[in-house]
Amino acid sequence: MSLRWFVYYCAAWAGFAGFIGWSLGKTSPIESSAVFNAAVKGMLLGLTVALMLVLVDLAFNGSGREGCGAVLRPLVGGCVGALGGFVGGMLGQILYALWGPFLLVGWGLTGLLIGAAPGMYEWLSCLAADEDASGAARKVRNGVIGGLMGGLLGGGFFLWMQTAWAKALADRIDEFWSPAATGFVVLGMCIGLLMGLTQVILTDASIKVESGFRAGRELILTRAETTVGRGEACDVGLFGDPAIEKLHLRIVQKGGQYFVEDNGTKEGTFVNGEEVRGSRPLRDGDLIEVGRATLRFSERARRVEGSS
């Protein structure tokens, strides 16, 4: 999957999750104050959208070595999103009573925590294992930025659509489901779209399979170590090539620099036509050749300039 499709999927599936969250809130039998009801609806929105974005991220960046992480990632992400939605919905409703546009504060907070959800488990697990958590921290940071912007943008559209529906339906607006449903869908899409965009635009490094198995696939590098080989547990699986070993090479992040390390293979690993011996630093645009496959390493210009 390319980074472009990653953004598309984040937007589309988050919009669908927004509809699911609205449906759950609509059918909820809870009857209470307006503030509590708003908090519950926000919680359901945050839960479903965050859960969906974690699953999209897992499908895009996950590997066979996830283990229990494949279950814990959605669990942790869903809890973070639900918390953001509950607090954001409650705060937004309180502020909305003072002045309508203040509702944006609540949706911004909701989007902020939803954006943090995809990288939260990875960050916490790195801290718990005393591993380099800088890549995971950047993933959380980028998601927070995108989620916040998406929540504010989506909240703006939500208010605008509510006003438009009110003018169109007048006193009968409460008889229809469309106003709130479309608002939640657009809100979810905006959060997913901006979260995906910031993850791609602000990413420090990525690799793209130029040729070989699943050519065109791109992977954002957030782990301290990214594995490449034909084994199912590798982050980048290059299946069907006998010249590639189960674990062929590693791309390791050390002190803000990325290195490629061959795993002592018979066929070897090459960067720009030169065989890798030991550990070799990577620069933007380097071509990593392994068996019949070629991978291109990309790095943000700011980091490259800082390391030169």
Side-chain angles (χ1 to χ4, degrees):
M1 187 191 305
S2 68
L3 295 180
R4 179 184 301 176
W5 280 105
F6 172 69
V7 176
Y8 293 159
Y9 283 158
C10 283
W13 283 107
F16 175 71
F19 177 77
I20 298 299
W22 167 83
S23 300
L24 294 174
K26 187 68 177 179
T27 57
S28 175
I30 298 176
E31 293 292 339
S32 185
S33 65
V35 172
F36 184 74
N37 283 336
V40 171
K41 291 178 180 179
M43 178 186 71
L44 294 172
L45 174 73
L47 171 64
T48 52
V49 174
L51 182 61
M52 190 64 73
L53 289 175
V54 171
L55 293 176
V56 170
D57 181 73
L58 189 59
F60 184 82
N61 291 309
S63 68
R65 61 173 175 153
E66 293 289 342
C68 64
V71 176
L72 293 177
R73 280 176 186 265
L75 179 62
V76 172
C79 289
V80 172
L83 174 63
F86 185 87
V87 177
M90 179 174 60
L91 180 62
Q93 184 63 35
I94 293 173
L95 295 176
Y96 180 77
L98 301 176
W99 188 45
F102 279 164
L103 180 65
L104 296 179
V105 175
W107 288 135
L109 176 60
T110 299
L112 184 151
L113 287 179
I114 290 176
M120 187 60 68
Y121 171 78
E122 189 174 339
W123 179 61
L124 292 176
S125 61
C126 287
L127 292 179
D130 197 25
E131 297 177 352
D132 184 358
S134 58
R138 287 193 297 270
K139 183 175 182 177
V140 173
R141 178 205 64 192
N142 296 344
V144 163
I145 294 172
L148 174 61
M149 293 191 300
L152 294 174
L153 178 63
F157 276 116
F158 186 95
L159 288 174
W160 176 79
M161 293 177 71
Q162 288 290 90
T163 302
W165 278 111
K167 291 181 179 179
L169 301 176
D171 294 337
R172 300 183 60 194
I173 188 172
D174 292 334
E175 300 176 20
F176 293 84
W177 288 8
S178 300
T182 52
F184 271 54
V185 169
V186 170
L187 182 61
M189 289 184 67
C190 286
I191 293 175
L193 175 65
L194 271 296
M195 192 281 291
L197 277 175
T198 53
Q199 289 288 9
V200 171
I201 294 173
L202 299 181
T203 185
D204 283 333
S206 64
I207 54 173
K208 179 180 180 179
V209 181
E210 297 284 355
S211 63
F213 182 78
R214 290 180 64 185
R217 183 194 176 189
E218 295 179 81
L219 180 72
I220 298 173
L221 300 179
T222 58
R223 297 185 175 96
E225 177 182 286
T226 301
T227 56
V228 179
R230 60 180 173 85
E232 294 183 358
C234 288
D235 298 308
V236 180
L238 300 173
F239 309 124
D241 189 341
I244 299 176
E245 299 190 11
K246 288 186 177 181
L247 176 55
H248 200 100
L249 65 91
R250 297 179 177 86
I251 297 176
V252 182
Q253 181 183 3
K254 299 177 183 177
Q257 174 73 51
Y258 290 89
F259 298 82
V260 59
E261 299 176 353
D262 183 77
N263 194 41
T265 61
K266 293 181 179 179
E267 299 293 335
T269 299
F270 299 82
V271 175
N272 301 330
E274 298 180 3
E275 186 173 4
V276 174
R277 299 185 182 278
S279 180
R280 171 174 175 146
L282 289 169
R283 294 185 178 276
D284 181 53
D286 280 351
L287 288 176
I288 304 171
E289 301 161 81
V290 47
R292 296 193 299 269
T294 304
L295 294 78
R296 183 178 297 278
F297 174 78
S298 298
E299 195 171 20
R300 289 180 62 197
R302 177 186 61 79
R303 178 176 290 276
V304 173
E305 292 169 0
S307 62
S308 60

